[in-house]
Every structure is written in structure tokens, then in C-alpha cells.
């Protein structure tokens, strides 16, 4: 068991967490529900996750373009207003990479967040870890499941730890390697 008196807890801060990346699964909803279940002081934001609206927003508002690259550019520019603003305001940027689609926007968002010195959590299946090694190197945490993102936020914000992932095989570092610095 961990000593609760040693925890440094956040008091009164509401954390802004931007959820970037893959839009074809319910990972955002899982994180939202987990944040709600743990009653964390977190405000979640994300890009527009409607693929059609994201593609067509510029043409709907400003008028149709004759060429695809112009159509894409005006939509991307509008979406960029939201993305840049919300990443700037974020305390933490969570970026999900899935196996099925290449998320170029997510990779761009990680680079932008890293350049702004934002805390980054990546979320992806282990099978694509090698492809994301440089992206993961900029992350403070690399998670495989949405609940791990929620558990990371709960620990960072409140000092709450879940049951060890390794279950009964978990051995605290002090028991495994000894207490304190062996080279004072």
C-alpha cells in the first residue's frame, strides 16, 4: 500500500485535456466516461470528429471550389483555427493512433504540442510502437488503452493509483531494487 500522506495533490485546478487523433472508434467516449466516473476536474476538447463536416466546412461557409486541393485547403485552414487554439489552451494533449488508418493530423498535432512544451500522452496498440518511437519519445506517458489514460490523469491530478496492471506479480521498486539511492 502507498502512503497517502506523501501525495502532493492538485487543489482547485481544472485541467484542459485535448484529445487528438483517430476518429473511427469510441476511445474519446471511453476517456470521457472514465473522467466522469472518477470525478476528475478535467475539461475535454477535441477536433471536429465529423469527417464530412471537417472536409466540407470551408466550402459550406465560403463557397465551393472547383479543385480538390483548394477545397481541402479552405477546410483545413478552418479546422486549424480550432486545433491551434485548443492545443495552446491544453494542459495535456492525448493523441490516439490506430492501426487501420494513418493519422497524419495526429502526428502533426504531437509535433505542434511538443514544440509548445505541452505534456503529451500517446495512446496506441503495441503493434505500432516501433513506427511511433520518435513520437513516443516526446510523450510523458505511452498508453495502450483508454483506461490507462484516465488512470494516468487520476494519478497526475490526485495521486490516485489503480490496482497494479501486473496484479499479484507487481513488486514495488523498494522491494525489488532496495530503498533509496545506492550511491548517495
Amino acid at each position: 500500500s502507498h502512503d497517502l500522506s506523501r501525495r502532493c495533490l492538485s487543489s482547485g485546478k481544472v485541467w484542459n485535456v485535448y484529445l487528438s487523433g483517430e476518429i473511427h472508434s469510441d476511445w474519446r467516449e471511453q476517456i470521457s466516461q472514465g473522467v466522469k466516473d472518477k470525478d476528475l476536474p478535467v475539461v475535454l476538447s477535441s477536433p471536429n470528429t465529423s469527417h464530412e463536416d471537417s472536409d466540407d466546412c470551408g466550402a459550406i461557409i465560403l463557397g465551393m471550389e472547383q479543385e480538390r486541393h483548394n477545397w481541402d485547403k479552405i477546410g483545413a485552414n478552418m479546422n486549424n483555427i480550432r486545433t491551434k487554439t485548443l492545443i495552446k489552451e491544453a494542459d495535456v494533449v492525448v493523441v490516439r493512433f490506430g492501426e487501420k488508418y494513418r493519422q497524419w493530423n495526429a502526428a502533426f498535432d504531437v509535433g505542434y504540442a511538443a514544440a509548445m512544451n505541452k505534456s503529451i500522452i500517446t495512446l496506441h496498440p503495441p503493434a505500432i510502437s516501433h513506427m511511433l518511437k520518435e513520437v513516443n519519445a516526446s510523450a510523458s506517458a505511452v498508453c495502450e488503452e483508454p483506461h490507462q489514460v484516465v488512470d494516468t490523469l487520476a494519478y497526475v491530478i490526485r495521486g490516485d493509483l489503480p490496482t497494479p496492471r501486473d496484479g499479484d506479480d507487481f513488486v514495488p521498486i523498494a522491494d525489488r531494487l532496495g530503498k533509496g539511492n545506492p550511491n548517495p
Side-chain angles (χ1 to χ4, degrees), residues 180-184:
N181 185 348
N183 302 310

Side-chain angles (χ1 to χ4, degrees), residues 126-148:
I128 61 174
S129 290
H130 179 72
M131 292 177 274
L132 294 170
K133 66 184 180 292
E134 283 80 10
V135 170
N136 287 337
S138 70
S140 298
V142 178
C143 299
E144 297 173 5
E145 300 291 338
H147 73 85
Q148 292 174 321

Side-chain angles (χ1 to χ4, degrees), residues 110-130:
V110 170
Y112 185 66
M116 295 187 65
N117 203 30
K118 297 293 180 176
S119 294
I120 298 166
I121 298 172
T122 57
L123 172 62
H124 59 78
I128 61 174
S129 290
H130 179 72

Side-chain angles (χ1 to χ4, degrees), residues 27 30-31 34 38 123 143-154 162-163 165:
W27 69 274
Q30 290 180 51
I31 289 174
K38 290 184 183 289
L123 172 62
C143 299
E144 297 173 5
E145 300 291 338
H147 73 85
Q148 292 174 321
V149 173
V150 174
D151 289 341
T152 299
L153 293 171
T163 302
R165 179 179 176 175

Side-chain angles (χ1 to χ4, degrees), residues 15-55:
W15 293 68
N16 292 315
V17 178
Y18 184 74
L19 305 177
S20 172
E22 184 262 305
I23 63 169
H24 303 285
S25 68
D26 70 346
W27 69 274
R28 284 183 180 85
E29 290 78 12
Q30 290 180 51
I31 289 174
S32 178
Q33 188 61 53
V35 163
K36 187 182 293 182
D37 290 348
K38 290 184 183 289
D39 195 28
L40 296 175
V42 168
V43 174
L44 300 172
S45 62
S46 72
N48 183 341
T49 58
S50 165
H51 198 182
E52 294 80 12
D53 291 353
S54 176
D55 283 351

